[in-house]
Amino acid sequence: MPSINNSINITHILRLCVKRIQRARVILLGSLPNRCLLCQQRIDQMDYEQLFANQVLTGVCQVCLAASLYQHEVCLGCGREIALLQAYCGKCLKHTPNVVVAPCSYHQGLGPLIAAIKYQQQCAPLNAITQQLACRIALLIKHGIIRRPQVLIPVPLHPNRLRQRGFNQAWLIAKQLSRLTGIPLDDSCLTRVVDTEPQTGLAGKQRRKNCHGAFQLQAEIRYQRVALIDDVVTTGTTVDEISRLFNAQFVHVQTWCLARAEAPGLLD
């Protein structure tokens, strides 16, 4: 029977092996051809690993990434620019809409990359953008603007759409966020029961009609605070429909996404 000291030594050796494998992976990935999908320049890792341990920047360079992130504070209700770090602008304070947290605007740089993740299975930039979302979340939690949820719930696809696409980008984002934040992922309590047509190109009223009754909670929810995870929030119709289900069980909902597609003219 192994002694306690031998068990400790084996554990220590295994941890060292894991660290060395992770380091070798970073070196290998960093040496492979890696160009930014926006500017087509070779991606220089610089000090990226110091910011995100054992991570390699892929799909988007640091210059394009930094230029595409919000350069100012935004309202978590409508996405409008605001002067101070707070939840809502004056207009949204009157009706306190659902909170939407994103690191950038869909219209100001990263939109083509996020669309490519969904429609072209080009997932190279997904980790980098998700890491920026995690940083934004950490800042808002630190300053008490939002509360840390108990669980992450990816917006589900209908089984037909999942078979057609082959993956759910919201699930991939939620998985990465769970690893970065330590918040567990639950993909079993919410399902999409209606195979709705794509929301792209639909007007607001059409979107609401399209999403009505499309989702279902599987059982009584045991959480008090949840975060819905999606790639993009446009009018908020999808997350509003899901939030209605959770609110009926007195569950607080916020939405985390890679980017927000604000209303036309809002950022002018």
Side-chain angles (χ1 to χ4, degrees):
M1 188 173 183
S3 66
I4 294 177
N5 288 337
N6 285 339
S7 297
I8 293 175
N9 288 335
I10 292 172
T11 301
H12 179 67
I13 291 171
L14 289 174
R15 287 175 178 172
L16 285 177
C17 288
V18 170
K19 288 182 179 179
R20 288 177 180 175
I21 291 172
Q22 289 175 334
R23 181 58 184 162
R25 175 181 175 275
V26 169
I27 293 172
L28 175 62
L29 290 176
S31 66
L32 294 174
N34 184 10
R35 292 189 177 275
C36 176
L37 297 174
L38 291 177
C39 69
Q40 308 305 317
Q41 298 299 308
R42 185 180 185 279
I43 296 176
D44 189 343
Q45 297 297 314
M46 294 188 281
D47 58 350
Y48 195 77
E49 190 188 351
Q50 296 179 23
L51 298 174
F52 302 99
N54 300 315
Q55 294 294 313
V56 175
L57 183 63
T58 60
V60 59
C61 69
Q62 294 196 51
V63 174
C64 289
L65 182 60
S68 300
L69 299 176
Y70 284 127
Q71 306 298 313
H72 46 72
E73 298 304 331
V74 296
C75 171
L76 302 184
C78 65
R80 186 188 309 274
E81 178 179 351
I82 54 178
L84 301 175
L85 180 62
Q86 58 190 37
Y88 296 118
C89 65
K91 185 176 181 179
C92 287
L93 272 174
K94 297 177 181 178
H95 56 97
T96 59
N98 289 332
V99 163
V100 176
V101 178
C104 62
S105 169
Y106 186 83
H107 304 298
Q108 295 185 331
L110 297 181
L113 300 188
I114 297 171
I117 292 171
K118 178 188 293 187
Y119 299 114
Q120 300 172 22
Q121 300 185 18
Q122 177 53 270
C123 294
L126 187 145
N127 282 352
I129 306 174
T130 304
Q131 286 157 1
Q132 296 303 319
L133 171 57
C135 289
R136 178 67 177 164
I137 291 163
L139 175 68
L140 294 174
I141 291 176
K142 177 183 176 181
H143 289 277
I145 307 298
I146 63 174
R147 294 185 66 188
R148 180 182 173 90
Q150 297 164 301
V151 69
L152 308 179
I153 299 177
V155 173
L157 291 178
H158 188 273
N160 293 343
R161 188 69 55 82
L162 184 59
R163 283 192 294 270
Q164 180 184 19
R165 188 174 297 168
F167 70 101
N168 179 2
Q169 71 282 355
W171 189 93
L172 295 178
I173 298 165
K175 184 67 174 178
Q176 173 74 342
L177 277 176
S178 179
R179 188 187 66 80
L180 291 169
T181 64
I183 302 172
L185 182 157
D186 186 343
D187 59 3
S188 63
C189 65
L190 177 69
T191 57
R192 189 186 289 252
V193 294
V194 178
D195 189 6
T196 57
E197 63 178 295
Q199 297 278 73
T200 305
L202 297 181
K205 187 175 181 179
Q206 293 172 315
R207 285 173 178 258
R208 289 189 291 273
K209 183 178 180 180
N210 191 43
C211 273
H212 182 70
F215 300 93
Q216 180 177 297
L217 293 178
Q218 292 303 297
E220 185 175 348
I221 304 302
R222 55 191 175 88
Y223 310 110
Q224 291 80 48
R225 299 183 308 280
V226 305
L228 297 177
I229 310 300
D230 209 352
D231 55 346
V232 179
V233 170
T234 307
T235 62
T237 304
T238 298
V239 293
D240 285 348
E241 178 68 17
I242 297 172
S243 296
R244 184 180 60 81
L245 298 177
F246 282 103
N247 291 338
Q249 295 195 27
F250 306 100
V251 179
H252 178 268
V253 181
Q254 54 186 298
T255 302
W256 298 352
C257 58
L258 296 187
R260 150 167 236 159
E262 300 87 354
L266 192 69
L267 300 180
D268 294 344

